[in-house]
Amino acid sequence: MKAVLNLACLFLGLTALACPGFGADAPSLKPPPGAKVAIVMFEDMECPSCALHYPEVEEAGRSHHVPVLLRDFPLGPSHPWSFDAAVWARFFDTKSDALGHDFRAYIFKNQPLINPGNLRQFVQKFADDNHVPLPFAYDPEGKLKAKVQADHDLGMSLGLRETPTVFVVSNVESKKVETLDQDHLSQIIEDVQKNAPATPAPAKAVAKKKAASKQ
């Protein structure tokens, strides 16, 4: 049954990438402060298509010097451990963004071996390998779960139904990546970079420049 569900996820994910239209206008997606352009990837950590394309998206971010913003979009009951894995990813995000990204890559790599009963064992191994102690209550106030849910709600508001769904965004436009191959993704990144406005100077720098001009 699990194999059937995973194949279904792969089919739906590829269908979403090939189907233009829905979710294409995403004005609520913006690059982080200081960045002109960013890649936004909505992913489910139990989705085989996400595991396949995650390294490609990360490499595209590195090669074009743009940040990759990961948004959690667990697909629900058909993927019984994906929500918990996303919460754990948020826990490692609190240590560093790099560690959070590394955890996702680790889970994607080991995805076929993971089930609801042994997820914690894989989390523990990753934590041990990276010298991160795991607290007994890693989300006592539910703040990490709330972040995962907020990402999911955002995805739903954009009309998403499958994963992975990838956007390249600036402060003036958002383009959905219809086909996740390296050449197509690179071309979209370059197109958005050409159209992106210059990054505003920090407020302090602007103030100093104005003060100097008055002297």
Side-chain angles (χ1 to χ4, degrees):
M1 177 61 73
K2 181 177 180 180
V4 172
L5 291 173
N6 283 341
L7 286 174
C9 171
L10 178 59
F11 172 77
L12 289 172
L14 294 176
T15 301
L17 294 173
C19 181
F22 80 84
D25 182 20
S28 58
L29 302 178
K30 300 292 183 184
K36 293 173 59 178
V37 173
I39 302 170
V40 180
M41 179 177 180
F42 285 84
E43 47 86 14
D44 174 302
M45 298 180 72
E46 204 171 341
C47 167
S49 188
C50 294
L52 175 66
H53 291 295
Y54 178 77
E56 300 171 359
V57 173
E58 287 282 288
E59 176 57 32
R62 284 191 294 269
S63 62
H64 289 84
H65 308 290
V66 300
V68 176
L69 307 181
L70 300 174
R71 297 289 179 256
D72 298 303
F73 196 71
L75 291 175
S78 63
H79 287 178
W81 56 264
S82 62
F83 190 95
D84 287 344
V87 176
W88 277 114
R90 292 291 184 160
F91 168 79
F92 289 109
D93 285 341
T94 65
K95 307 305 176 183
S96 73
D97 289 341
L99 195 62
H101 280 235
D102 288 348
F103 175 75
R104 289 173 172 86
Y106 163 81
I107 292 296
F108 283 135
K109 181 179 180 180
N110 290 281
Q111 188 186 77
L113 304 175
I114 300 174
N115 60 59
N118 67 14
L119 173 63
R120 176 65 185 243
Q121 297 173 29
F122 282 89
V123 173
Q124 186 68 62
K125 185 178 187 309
F126 178 83
D128 291 344
D129 290 346
N130 289 275
H131 311 290
V132 176
L134 290 186
F136 176 77
Y138 65 99
D139 188 23
E141 299 178 0
K143 293 181 178 179
L144 303 180
K145 290 182 180 179
K147 289 183 177 181
V148 174
Q149 189 62 52
D151 274 0
H152 186 273
D153 292 346
L154 173 60
M156 293 295 290
S157 74
L158 298 175
L160 273 61
R161 294 295 181 271
E162 292 88 23
T163 55
T165 301
V166 176
F167 298 89
V168 180
V169 303
S170 72
N171 284 316
V172 296
E173 67 177 320
S174 173
K175 288 191 175 182
K176 182 173 176 286
V177 182
E178 303 295 349
T179 305
L180 271 179
D181 65 65
Q182 288 293 87
D183 291 340
H184 183 63
L185 178 56
S186 292
Q187 186 60 58
I188 291 180
I189 294 171
E190 291 167 9
D191 290 345
V192 175
Q193 285 177 322
K194 290 177 183 177
N195 297 330
T199 304
K204 291 183 179 180
V206 172
K208 288 181 179 180
K209 185 175 181 181
K210 289 182 177 179
S213 65
K214 293 180 179 179
Q215 293 177 356

